[in-house]
PDB file of all heavy atoms in Angstrom:
ATOM      1  N   ILE A   1       0.855  -1.198  -0.009  1.00  0.00           N
ATOM      2  CA  ILE A   1      -0.033  -0.026   0.028  1.00  0.00           C
ATOM      3  C   ILE A   1       0.872   1.279  -0.032  1.00  0.00           C
ATOM      4  O   ILE A   1       1.758   1.401   0.805  1.00  0.00           O
ATOM      5  CB  ILE A   1      -0.948  -0.025   1.203  1.00  0.00           C
ATOM      6  CG1 ILE A   1      -1.790  -1.288   1.259  1.00  0.00           C
ATOM      7  CG2 ILE A   1      -1.799   1.219   1.264  1.00  0.00           C
ATOM      8  CD1 ILE A   1      -2.551  -1.437   2.490  1.00  0.00           C
ATOM      9  N   HIS A   2       0.701   2.054  -1.012  1.00  0.00           N
ATOM     10  CA  HIS A   2       1.556   3.261  -1.148  1.00  0.00           C
ATOM     11  C   HIS A   2       0.809   4.482  -0.622  1.00  0.00           C
ATOM     12  O   HIS A   2      -0.450   4.602  -0.732  1.00  0.00           O
ATOM     13  CB  HIS A   2       1.819   3.521  -2.621  1.00  0.00           C
ATOM     14  CG  HIS A   2       2.696   2.461  -3.350  1.00  0.00           C
ATOM     15  ND1 HIS A   2       3.920   2.719  -3.644  1.00  0.00           N
ATOM     16  CD2 HIS A   2       2.386   1.133  -3.666  1.00  0.00           C
ATOM     17  CE1 HIS A   2       4.443   1.552  -4.146  1.00  0.00           C
ATOM     18  NE2 HIS A   2       3.480   0.592  -4.220  1.00  0.00           N
ATOM     19  N   GLY A   3       1.543   5.305   0.116  1.00  0.00           N
ATOM     20  CA  GLY A   3       1.011   6.510   0.807  1.00  0.00           C
ATOM     21  C   GLY A   3       0.934   7.672  -0.191  1.00  0.00           C
ATOM     22  O   GLY A   3       1.236   7.530  -1.433  1.00  0.00           O
ATOM     23  N   PRO A   4       0.455   8.841   0.313  1.00  0.00           N
ATOM     24  CA  PRO A   4       0.365  10.017  -0.608  1.00  0.00           C
ATOM     25  C   PRO A   4       1.618  10.414  -1.257  1.00  0.00           C
ATOM     26  O   PRO A   4       1.602  11.030  -2.350  1.00  0.00           O
ATOM     27  CB  PRO A   4      -0.188  11.099   0.441  1.00  0.00           C
ATOM     28  CG  PRO A   4      -0.795  10.320   1.510  1.00  0.00           C
ATOM     29  CD  PRO A   4      -0.014   9.064   1.625  1.00  0.00           C
ATOM     30  N   ASP A   5       2.767  10.120  -0.665  1.00  0.00           N
ATOM     31  CA  ASP A   5       4.041  10.427  -1.244  1.00  0.00           C
ATOM     32  C   ASP A   5       4.496   9.479  -2.303  1.00  0.00           C
ATOM     33  O   ASP A   5       5.604   9.595  -2.926  1.00  0.00           O
ATOM     34  CB  ASP A   5       5.078  10.656  -0.210  1.00  0.00           C
ATOM     35  CG  ASP A   5       5.400   9.359   0.599  1.00  0.00           C
ATOM     36  OD1 ASP A   5       4.665   8.383   0.380  1.00  0.00           O
ATOM     37  OD2 ASP A   5       6.217   9.415   1.453  1.00  0.00           O
ATOM     38  N   GLY A   6       3.714   8.492  -2.510  1.00  0.00           N
ATOM     39  CA  GLY A   6       4.075   7.462  -3.510  1.00  0.00           C
ATOM     40  C   GLY A   6       4.923   6.242  -2.965  1.00  0.00           C
ATOM     41  O   GLY A   6       4.998   5.262  -3.638  1.00  0.00           O
ATOM     42  N   ARG A   7       5.404   6.449  -1.766  1.00  0.00           N
ATOM     43  CA  ARG A   7       6.209   5.367  -1.142  1.00  0.00           C
ATOM     44  C   ARG A   7       5.339   4.337  -0.525  1.00  0.00           C
ATOM     45  O   ARG A   7       4.240   4.557  -0.107  1.00  0.00           O
ATOM     46  CB  ARG A   7       7.252   5.962  -0.222  1.00  0.00           C
ATOM     47  CG  ARG A   7       8.222   6.921  -0.900  1.00  0.00           C
ATOM     48  CD  ARG A   7       9.224   7.471   0.171  1.00  0.00           C
ATOM     49  NE  ARG A   7      10.176   8.340  -0.377  1.00  0.00           N
ATOM     50  CZ  ARG A   7      11.126   9.020   0.286  1.00  0.00           C
ATOM     51  NH1 ARG A   7      11.264   8.802   1.648  1.00  0.00           N
ATOM     52  NH2 ARG A   7      11.983   9.813  -0.295  1.00  0.00           N
ATOM     53  N   VAL A   8       5.885   3.169  -0.303  1.00  0.00           N
ATOM     54  CA  VAL A   8       5.212   2.055   0.326  1.00  0.00           C
ATOM     55  C   VAL A   8       5.144   2.402   1.763  1.00  0.00           C
ATOM     56  O   VAL A   8       6.079   2.521   2.479  1.00  0.00           O
ATOM     57  CB  VAL A   8       5.964   0.657   0.119  1.00  0.00           C
ATOM     58  CG1 VAL A   8       5.240  -0.353   0.968  1.00  0.00           C
ATOM     59  CG2 VAL A   8       5.991   0.301  -1.392  1.00  0.00           C
ATOM     60  N   SER A   9       3.848   2.479   2.238  1.00  0.00           N
ATOM     61  CA  SER A   9       3.674   2.797   3.703  1.00  0.00           C
ATOM     62  C   SER A   9       3.320   1.434   4.469  1.00  0.00           C
ATOM     63  O   SER A   9       3.551   1.477   5.738  1.00  0.00           O
ATOM     64  CB  SER A   9       2.427   3.664   3.867  1.00  0.00           C
ATOM     65  OG  SER A   9       1.267   3.084   3.293  1.00  0.00           O
ATOM     66  N   LYS A  10       2.978   0.422   3.772  1.00  0.00           N
ATOM     67  CA  LYS A  10       2.675  -0.800   4.529  1.00  0.00           C
ATOM     68  C   LYS A  10       2.647  -1.951   3.518  1.00  0.00           C
ATOM     69  O   LYS A  10       2.223  -1.822   2.412  1.00  0.00           O
ATOM     70  CB  LYS A  10       1.305  -0.660   5.265  1.00  0.00           C
ATOM     71  CG  LYS A  10       0.816  -2.015   5.837  1.00  0.00           C
ATOM     72  CD  LYS A  10      -0.539  -1.936   6.431  1.00  0.00           C
ATOM     73  CE  LYS A  10      -0.446  -1.576   7.869  1.00  0.00           C
ATOM     74  NZ  LYS A  10      -1.804  -1.575   8.495  1.00  0.00           N
ATOM     75  N   THR A  11       3.162  -3.055   3.981  1.00  0.00           N
ATOM     76  CA  THR A  11       2.998  -4.393   3.271  1.00  0.00           C
ATOM     77  C   THR A  11       2.241  -5.278   4.109  1.00  0.00           C
ATOM     78  O   THR A  11       2.486  -5.450   5.244  1.00  0.00           O
ATOM     79  CB  THR A  11       4.303  -4.988   2.865  1.00  0.00           C
ATOM     80  OG1 THR A  11       5.095  -5.231   3.933  1.00  0.00           O
ATOM     81  CG2 THR A  11       5.107  -4.109   1.791  1.00  0.00           C
ATOM     82  N   THR A  12       1.236  -5.928   3.522  1.00  0.00           N
ATOM     83  CA  THR A  12       0.294  -6.791   4.375  1.00  0.00           C
ATOM     84  C   THR A  12      -0.231  -7.862   3.475  1.00  0.00           C
ATOM     85  O   THR A  12      -0.261  -7.790   2.235  1.00  0.00           O
ATOM     86  CB  THR A  12      -0.777  -5.886   4.949  1.00  0.00           C
ATOM     87  OG1 THR A  12      -1.628  -6.759   5.716  1.00  0.00           O
ATOM     88  CG2 THR A  12      -1.719  -5.302   3.830  1.00  0.00           C
ATOM     89  N   LYS A  13      -0.678  -8.920   4.087  1.00  0.00           N
ATOM     90  CA  LYS A  13      -1.421  -9.923   3.405  1.00  0.00           C
ATOM     91  C   LYS A  13      -2.841  -9.481   3.102  1.00  0.00           C
ATOM     92  O   LYS A  13      -3.417  -8.789   3.963  1.00  0.00           O
ATOM     93  CB  LYS A  13      -1.554 -11.260   4.208  1.00  0.00           C
ATOM     94  CG  LYS A  13      -0.249 -11.918   4.501  1.00  0.00           C
ATOM     95  CD  LYS A  13      -0.388 -13.295   5.083  1.00  0.00           C
ATOM     96  CE  LYS A  13      -0.901 -14.251   3.943  1.00  0.00           C
ATOM     97  NZ  LYS A  13      -0.721 -15.735   4.390  1.00  0.00           N
ATOM     98  N   TRP A  14      -3.413  -9.789   1.980  1.00  0.00           N
ATOM     99  CA  TRP A  14      -4.745  -9.317   1.667  1.00  0.00           C
ATOM    100  C   TRP A  14      -5.739 -10.550   1.650  1.00  0.00           C
ATOM    101  O   TRP A  14      -6.963 -10.237   1.346  1.00  0.00           O
ATOM    102  CB  TRP A  14      -4.736  -8.724   0.181  1.00  0.00           C
ATOM    103  CG  TRP A  14      -4.204  -9.550  -0.873  1.00  0.00           C
ATOM    104  CD1 TRP A  14      -2.945  -9.705  -1.265  1.00  0.00           C
ATOM    105  CD2 TRP A  14      -4.922 -10.491  -1.699  1.00  0.00           C
ATOM    106  NE1 TRP A  14      -2.698 -10.566  -2.278  1.00  0.00           N
ATOM    107  CE2 TRP A  14      -3.991 -11.130  -2.548  1.00  0.00           C
ATOM    108  CE3 TRP A  14      -6.244 -10.802  -1.848  1.00  0.00           C
ATOM    109  CZ2 TRP A  14      -4.379 -12.048  -3.511  1.00  0.00           C
ATOM    110  CZ3 TRP A  14      -6.625 -11.747  -2.744  1.00  0.00           C
ATOM    111  CH2 TRP A  14      -5.724 -12.343  -3.550  1.00  0.00           C
ATOM    112  N   HIS A  15      -5.167 -11.669   2.097  1.00  0.00           N
ATOM    113  CA  HIS A  15      -6.071 -12.827   2.091  1.00  0.00           C
ATOM    114  C   HIS A  15      -5.679 -13.716   3.279  1.00  0.00           C
ATOM    115  O   HIS A  15      -4.499 -13.676   3.734  1.00  0.00           O
ATOM    116  CB  HIS A  15      -6.005 -13.613   0.837  1.00  0.00           C
ATOM    117  CG  HIS A  15      -4.694 -14.224   0.597  1.00  0.00           C
ATOM    118  ND1 HIS A  15      -4.417 -15.478   0.886  1.00  0.00           N
ATOM    119  CD2 HIS A  15      -3.535 -13.739   0.100  1.00  0.00           C
ATOM    120  CE1 HIS A  15      -3.119 -15.798   0.679  1.00  0.00           C
ATOM    121  NE2 HIS A  15      -2.566 -14.762   0.191  1.00  0.00           N
ATOM    122  N   GLU A  16      -6.609 -14.433   3.729  1.00  0.00           N
ATOM    123  CA  GLU A  16      -6.322 -15.410   4.795  1.00  0.00           C
ATOM    124  C   GLU A  16      -6.091 -16.891   4.210  1.00  0.00           C
ATOM    125  O   GLU A  16      -6.943 -17.355   3.408  1.00  0.00           O
ATOM    126  CB  GLU A  16      -7.514 -15.476   5.734  1.00  0.00           C
ATOM    127  CG  GLU A  16      -7.237 -16.276   7.041  1.00  0.00           C
ATOM    128  CD  GLU A  16      -8.427 -16.222   7.950  1.00  0.00           C
ATOM    129  OE1 GLU A  16      -9.519 -15.636   7.568  1.00  0.00           O
ATOM    130  OE2 GLU A  16      -8.383 -16.687   9.099  1.00  0.00           O
ATOM    131  N   ASP A  17      -4.998 -17.475   4.578  1.00  0.00           N
ATOM    132  CA  ASP A  17      -4.742 -18.795   4.063  1.00  0.00           C
ATOM    133  C   ASP A  17      -5.417 -19.864   4.937  1.00  0.00           C
ATOM    134  O   ASP A  17      -5.833 -19.561   6.073  1.00  0.00           O
ATOM    135  CB  ASP A  17      -3.197 -19.083   4.169  1.00  0.00           C
ATOM    136  CG  ASP A  17      -2.384 -18.268   3.238  1.00  0.00           C
ATOM    137  OD1 ASP A  17      -2.994 -17.776   2.135  1.00  0.00           O
ATOM    138  OD2 ASP A  17      -1.264 -17.921   3.463  1.00  0.00           O
ATOM    139  N   ALA A  18      -5.518 -21.116   4.370  1.00  0.00           N
ATOM    140  CA  ALA A  18      -5.951 -22.158   5.191  1.00  0.00           C
ATOM    141  C   ALA A  18      -4.848 -22.544   6.156  1.00  0.00           C
ATOM    142  O   ALA A  18      -3.597 -22.362   5.917  1.00  0.00           O
ATOM    143  CB  ALA A  18      -6.337 -23.309   4.298  1.00  0.00           C
ATOM    144  N   GLU A  19      -5.214 -23.236   7.220  1.00  0.00           N
ATOM    145  CA  GLU A  19      -4.271 -23.720   8.174  1.00  0.00           C
ATOM    146  C   GLU A  19      -3.575 -24.910   7.500  1.00  0.00           C
ATOM    147  O   GLU A  19      -4.116 -25.656   6.833  1.00  0.00           O
ATOM    148  CB  GLU A  19      -4.983 -24.215   9.483  1.00  0.00           C
ATOM    149  CG  GLU A  19      -5.730 -23.189  10.185  1.00  0.00           C
ATOM    150  CD  GLU A  19      -4.730 -22.155  10.816  1.00  0.00           C
ATOM    151  OE1 GLU A  19      -3.607 -22.461  11.151  1.00  0.00           O
ATOM    152  OE2 GLU A  19      -5.077 -20.935  10.951  1.00  0.00           O
ATOM    153  N   PRO A  20      -2.227 -24.987   7.726  1.00  0.00           N
ATOM    154  CA  PRO A  20      -1.497 -26.082   7.159  1.00  0.00           C
ATOM    155  C   PRO A  20      -2.014 -27.423   7.680  1.00  0.00           C
ATOM    156  O   PRO A  20      -2.339 -27.558   8.858  1.00  0.00           O
ATOM    157  CB  PRO A  20      -0.047 -25.867   7.736  1.00  0.00           C
ATOM    158  CG  PRO A  20       0.036 -24.474   7.993  1.00  0.00           C
ATOM    159  CD  PRO A  20      -1.310 -24.027   8.423  1.00  0.00           C
ATOM    160  N   SER A  21      -2.240 -28.391   6.814  1.00  0.00           N
ATOM    161  CA  SER A  21      -2.942 -29.607   7.180  1.00  0.00           C
ATOM    162  C   SER A  21      -2.675 -30.725   6.075  1.00  0.00           C
ATOM    163  O   SER A  21      -2.589 -30.382   4.815  1.00  0.00           O
ATOM    164  CB  SER A  21      -4.486 -29.381   7.259  1.00  0.00           C
ATOM    165  OG  SER A  21      -5.182 -30.585   7.295  1.00  0.00           O
ATOM    166  N   PRO A  22      -2.510 -31.938   6.515  1.00  0.00           N
ATOM    167  CA  PRO A  22      -2.359 -32.969   5.536  1.00  0.00           C
ATOM    168  C   PRO A  22      -3.605 -33.200   4.681  1.00  0.00           C
ATOM    169  O   PRO A  22      -3.551 -33.804   3.659  1.00  0.00           O
ATOM    170  CB  PRO A  22      -2.193 -34.283   6.404  1.00  0.00           C
ATOM    171  CG  PRO A  22      -1.718 -33.721   7.671  1.00  0.00           C
ATOM    172  CD  PRO A  22      -2.478 -32.424   7.844  1.00  0.00           C
ATOM    173  N   SER A  23      -4.750 -32.614   5.060  1.00  0.00           N
ATOM    174  CA  SER A  23      -5.986 -32.751   4.303  1.00  0.00           C
ATOM    175  C   SER A  23      -6.183 -31.646   3.259  1.00  0.00           C
ATOM    176  O   SER A  23      -7.119 -31.659   2.505  1.00  0.00           O
ATOM    177  CB  SER A  23      -7.164 -32.691   5.281  1.00  0.00           C
ATOM    178  OG  SER A  23      -7.374 -31.491   5.871  1.00  0.00           O
ATOM    179  N   ILE A  24      -5.256 -30.547   3.235  1.00  0.00           N
ATOM    180  CA  ILE A  24      -5.361 -29.524   2.271  1.00  0.00           C
ATOM    181  C   ILE A  24      -4.050 -29.333   1.536  1.00  0.00           C
ATOM    182  O   ILE A  24      -3.057 -28.849   2.067  1.00  0.00           O
ATOM    183  CB  ILE A  24      -5.653 -28.169   3.046  1.00  0.00           C
ATOM    184  CG1 ILE A  24      -7.012 -28.261   3.784  1.00  0.00           C
ATOM    185  CG2 ILE A  24      -5.767 -26.987   2.122  1.00  0.00           C
ATOM    186  CD1 ILE A  24      -7.291 -27.073   4.690  1.00  0.00           C
ATOM    187  N   PRO A  25      -4.032 -29.905   0.298  1.00  0.00           N
ATOM    188  CA  PRO A  25      -2.699 -29.809  -0.358  1.00  0.00           C
ATOM    189  C   PRO A  25      -2.351 -28.519  -0.953  1.00  0.00           C
ATOM    190  O   PRO A  25      -1.083 -28.170  -1.099  1.00  0.00           O
ATOM    191  CB  PRO A  25      -2.947 -30.779  -1.648  1.00  0.00           C
ATOM    192  CG  PRO A  25      -4.472 -30.717  -1.705  1.00  0.00           C
ATOM    193  CD  PRO A  25      -5.093 -30.539  -0.384  1.00  0.00           C
ATOM    194  N   TYR A  26      -3.366 -27.544  -1.015  1.00  0.00           N
ATOM    195  CA  TYR A  26      -3.029 -26.210  -1.705  1.00  0.00           C
ATOM    196  C   TYR A  26      -3.625 -25.141  -0.707  1.00  0.00           C
ATOM    197  O   TYR A  26      -4.777 -24.732  -0.901  1.00  0.00           O
ATOM    198  CB  TYR A  26      -3.620 -26.025  -3.092  1.00  0.00           C
ATOM    199  CG  TYR A  26      -3.250 -27.228  -3.969  1.00  0.00           C
ATOM    200  CD1 TYR A  26      -4.122 -28.169  -4.343  1.00  0.00           C
ATOM    201  CD2 TYR A  26      -1.867 -27.415  -4.375  1.00  0.00           C
ATOM    202  CE1 TYR A  26      -3.794 -29.203  -5.195  1.00  0.00           C
ATOM    203  CE2 TYR A  26      -1.565 -28.425  -5.253  1.00  0.00           C
ATOM    204  CZ  TYR A  26      -2.494 -29.390  -5.541  1.00  0.00           C
ATOM    205  OH  TYR A  26      -2.098 -30.367  -6.337  1.00  0.00           O
ATOM    206  N   PRO A  27      -2.929 -24.782   0.293  1.00  0.00           N
ATOM    207  CA  PRO A  27      -3.527 -23.790   1.280  1.00  0.00           C
ATOM    208  C   PRO A  27      -3.609 -22.435   0.784  1.00  0.00           C
ATOM    209  O   PRO A  27      -4.309 -21.604   1.339  1.00  0.00           O
ATOM    210  CB  PRO A  27      -2.627 -23.931   2.460  1.00  0.00           C
ATOM    211  CG  PRO A  27      -1.288 -24.361   1.874  1.00  0.00           C
ATOM    212  CD  PRO A  27      -1.582 -25.234   0.829  1.00  0.00           C
ATOM    213  N   GLU A  28      -2.902 -22.062  -0.298  1.00  0.00           N
ATOM    214  CA  GLU A  28      -2.917 -20.714  -0.865  1.00  0.00           C
ATOM    215  C   GLU A  28      -3.442 -20.650  -2.297  1.00  0.00           C
ATOM    216  O   GLU A  28      -3.367 -21.699  -2.960  1.00  0.00           O
ATOM    217  CB  GLU A  28      -1.510 -20.093  -0.868  1.00  0.00           C
ATOM    218  CG  GLU A  28      -0.884 -19.750   0.460  1.00  0.00           C
ATOM    219  CD  GLU A  28       0.399 -19.022   0.284  1.00  0.00           C
ATOM    220  OE1 GLU A  28       0.930 -18.828  -0.924  1.00  0.00           O
ATOM    221  OE2 GLU A  28       0.968 -18.573   1.279  1.00  0.00           O
ATOM    222  N   LEU A  29      -4.039 -19.608  -2.699  1.00  0.00           N
ATOM    223  CA  LEU A  29      -4.515 -19.433  -4.007  1.00  0.00           C
ATOM    224  C   LEU A  29      -3.313 -19.169  -4.912  1.00  0.00           C
ATOM    225  O   LEU A  29      -2.218 -18.872  -4.518  1.00  0.00           O
ATOM    226  CB  LEU A  29      -5.530 -18.217  -4.131  1.00  0.00           C
ATOM    227  CG  LEU A  29      -5.096 -16.866  -3.719  1.00  0.00           C
ATOM    228  CD1 LEU A  29      -4.299 -16.146  -4.748  1.00  0.00           C
ATOM    229  CD2 LEU A  29      -6.354 -16.093  -3.404  1.00  0.00           C
ATOM    230  N   ALA A  30      -3.536 -19.303  -6.200  1.00  0.00           N
ATOM    231  CA  ALA A  30      -2.490 -19.042  -7.241  1.00  0.00           C
ATOM    232  C   ALA A  30      -3.022 -17.929  -8.139  1.00  0.00           C
ATOM    233  O   ALA A  30      -4.308 -17.823  -8.266  1.00  0.00           O
ATOM    234  CB  ALA A  30      -2.190 -20.259  -8.066  1.00  0.00           C
ATOM    235  N   SER A  31      -2.139 -17.044  -8.567  1.00  0.00           N
ATOM    236  CA  SER A  31      -2.644 -15.880  -9.475  1.00  0.00           C
ATOM    237  C   SER A  31      -2.052 -16.141 -10.894  1.00  0.00           C
ATOM    238  O   SER A  31      -0.992 -16.405 -11.013  1.00  0.00           O
ATOM    239  CB  SER A  31      -2.129 -14.607  -8.864  1.00  0.00           C
ATOM    240  OG  SER A  31      -2.786 -14.241  -7.714  1.00  0.00           O
ATOM    241  N   THR A  32      -2.931 -15.971 -11.913  1.00  0.00           N
ATOM    242  CA  THR A  32      -2.510 -16.128 -13.252  1.00  0.00           C
ATOM    243  C   THR A  32      -3.452 -15.406 -14.145  1.00  0.00           C
ATOM    244  O   THR A  32      -4.593 -15.215 -13.899  1.00  0.00           O
ATOM    245  CB  THR A  32      -2.523 -17.612 -13.622  1.00  0.00           C
ATOM    246  OG1 THR A  32      -2.066 -17.758 -15.062  1.00  0.00           O
ATOM    247  CG2 THR A  32      -3.819 -18.321 -13.524  1.00  0.00           C
ATOM    248  N   SER A  33      -2.842 -14.865 -15.235  1.00  0.00           N
ATOM    249  CA  SER A  33      -3.704 -14.271 -16.315  1.00  0.00           C
ATOM    250  C   SER A  33      -4.620 -15.311 -16.793  1.00  0.00           C
ATOM    251  O   SER A  33      -4.336 -16.451 -17.106  1.00  0.00           O
ATOM    252  CB  SER A  33      -2.802 -13.828 -17.405  1.00  0.00           C
ATOM    253  OG  SER A  33      -3.542 -13.623 -18.634  1.00  0.00           O
ATOM    254  N   GLN A  34      -5.911 -14.975 -16.939  1.00  0.00           N
ATOM    255  CA  GLN A  34      -6.920 -15.936 -17.454  1.00  0.00           C
ATOM    256  C   GLN A  34      -6.486 -16.370 -18.892  1.00  0.00           C
ATOM    257  O   GLN A  34      -6.757 -17.593 -19.198  1.00  0.00           O
ATOM    258  CB  GLN A  34      -8.252 -15.325 -17.554  1.00  0.00           C
ATOM    259  CG  GLN A  34      -9.409 -16.345 -17.978  1.00  0.00           C
ATOM    260  CD  GLN A  34     -10.770 -15.717 -17.828  1.00  0.00           C
ATOM    261  OE1 GLN A  34     -11.091 -15.027 -16.858  1.00  0.00           O
ATOM    262  NE2 GLN A  34     -11.610 -15.981 -18.816  1.00  0.00           N
ATOM    263  N   ALA A  35      -5.943 -15.515 -19.657  1.00  0.00           N
ATOM    264  CA  ALA A  35      -5.491 -15.834 -21.012  1.00  0.00           C
ATOM    265  C   ALA A  35      -4.427 -16.930 -20.939  1.00  0.00           C
ATOM    266  O   ALA A  35      -4.544 -17.978 -21.743  1.00  0.00           O
ATOM    267  CB  ALA A  35      -4.992 -14.608 -21.776  1.00  0.00           C
ATOM    268  N   GLU A  36      -3.527 -16.870 -20.115  1.00  0.00           N
ATOM    269  CA  GLU A  36      -2.497 -17.859 -19.985  1.00  0.00           C
ATOM    270  C   GLU A  36      -3.043 -19.146 -19.394  1.00  0.00           C
ATOM    271  O   GLU A  36      -2.691 -20.250 -19.831  1.00  0.00           O
ATOM    272  CB  GLU A  36      -1.337 -17.365 -19.055  1.00  0.00           C
ATOM    273  CG  GLU A  36      -0.539 -16.217 -19.603  1.00  0.00           C
ATOM    274  CD  GLU A  36       0.132 -16.468 -20.973  1.00  0.00           C
ATOM    275  OE1 GLU A  36       0.785 -17.558 -21.039  1.00  0.00           O
ATOM    276  OE2 GLU A  36      -0.048 -15.674 -21.892  1.00  0.00           O
ATOM    277  N   PHE A  37      -3.998 -19.008 -18.474  1.00  0.00           N
ATOM    278  CA  PHE A  37      -4.636 -20.226 -17.919  1.00  0.00           C
ATOM    279  C   PHE A  37      -5.422 -20.981 -19.050  1.00  0.00           C
ATOM    280  O   PHE A  37      -5.374 -22.147 -19.093  1.00  0.00           O
ATOM    281  CB  PHE A  37      -5.548 -19.701 -16.818  1.00  0.00           C
ATOM    282  CG  PHE A  37      -6.406 -20.874 -16.173  1.00  0.00           C
ATOM    283  CD1 PHE A  37      -5.798 -22.094 -15.816  1.00  0.00           C
ATOM    284  CD2 PHE A  37      -7.728 -20.635 -15.855  1.00  0.00           C
ATOM    285  CE1 PHE A  37      -6.512 -23.029 -15.193  1.00  0.00           C
ATOM    286  CE2 PHE A  37      -8.469 -21.669 -15.282  1.00  0.00           C
ATOM    287  CZ  PHE A  37      -7.943 -22.918 -14.937  1.00  0.00           C
ATOM    288  N   GLU A  38      -6.067 -20.191 -19.807  1.00  0.00           N
ATOM    289  CA  GLU A  38      -6.832 -20.941 -20.901  1.00  0.00           C
ATOM    290  C   GLU A  38      -5.875 -21.542 -21.890  1.00  0.00           C
ATOM    291  O   GLU A  38      -6.332 -22.625 -22.479  1.00  0.00           O
ATOM    292  CB  GLU A  38      -7.710 -19.807 -21.634  1.00  0.00           C
ATOM    293  CG  GLU A  38      -8.954 -19.378 -20.829  1.00  0.00           C
ATOM    294  CD  GLU A  38      -9.765 -18.335 -21.468  1.00  0.00           C
ATOM    295  OE1 GLU A  38      -9.512 -18.045 -22.646  1.00  0.00           O
ATOM    296  OE2 GLU A  38     -10.691 -17.731 -20.832  1.00  0.00           O
ATOM    297  N   LYS A  39      -4.819 -21.023 -22.114  1.00  0.00           N
ATOM    298  CA  LYS A  39      -3.808 -21.787 -23.040  1.00  0.00           C
ATOM    299  C   LYS A  39      -3.398 -23.131 -22.486  1.00  0.00           C
ATOM    300  O   LYS A  39      -3.263 -24.103 -23.091  1.00  0.00           O
ATOM    301  CB  LYS A  39      -2.531 -20.857 -23.117  1.00  0.00           C
ATOM    302  CG  LYS A  39      -2.649 -19.675 -24.077  1.00  0.00           C
ATOM    303  CD  LYS A  39      -1.248 -18.843 -24.083  1.00  0.00           C
ATOM    304  CE  LYS A  39      -1.406 -17.597 -24.832  1.00  0.00           C
ATOM    305  NZ  LYS A  39      -0.160 -16.828 -24.876  1.00  0.00           N
ATOM    306  N   VAL A  40      -3.215 -23.145 -21.126  1.00  0.00           N
ATOM    307  CA  VAL A  40      -2.938 -24.495 -20.457  1.00  0.00           C
ATOM    308  C   VAL A  40      -4.054 -25.409 -20.592  1.00  0.00           C
ATOM    309  O   VAL A  40      -3.917 -26.592 -20.956  1.00  0.00           O
ATOM    310  CB  VAL A  40      -2.614 -24.198 -18.968  1.00  0.00           C
ATOM    311  CG1 VAL A  40      -2.517 -25.566 -18.271  1.00  0.00           C
ATOM    312  CG2 VAL A  40      -1.332 -23.471 -18.766  1.00  0.00           C
ATOM    313  N   LEU A  41      -5.299 -24.903 -20.437  1.00  0.00           N
ATOM    314  CA  LEU A  41      -6.452 -25.797 -20.617  1.00  0.00           C
ATOM    315  C   LEU A  41      -6.635 -26.244 -22.010  1.00  0.00           C
ATOM    316  O   LEU A  41      -6.964 -27.369 -22.356  1.00  0.00           O
ATOM    317  CB  LEU A  41      -7.743 -25.019 -20.152  1.00  0.00           C
ATOM    318  CG  LEU A  41      -7.815 -24.630 -18.629  1.00  0.00           C
ATOM    319  CD1 LEU A  41      -9.096 -23.849 -18.344  1.00  0.00           C
ATOM    320  CD2 LEU A  41      -7.724 -25.813 -17.723  1.00  0.00           C
TER     321      LEU A  41
END
């Protein structure tokens, strides 16, 4: 998050992850361009 002077005033998580667990193989989301994702599909 950048302040009025343009500099970074804070870095923070914007999402809550799942608790680490053997029952959850992917506790975090992944980000990708939909266009690139569709190429994979």
Side-chain angles (χ1 to χ4, degrees):
I1 301 172
H2 295 251
D5 61 358
R7 297 180 179 180
V8 175
S9 61
K10 174 184 267 189
T11 57
T12 181
K13 295 193 71 167
W14 55 272
H15 66 97
E16 189 177 9
D17 296 330
E19 296 294 330
S21 168
S23 68
I24 301 174
Y26 310 108
E28 290 190 354
L29 59 81
S31 293
T32 179
S33 161
Q34 184 175 318
E36 296 300 310
F37 177 45
E38 288 177 7
K39 287 180 184 178
V40 172
L41 295 178

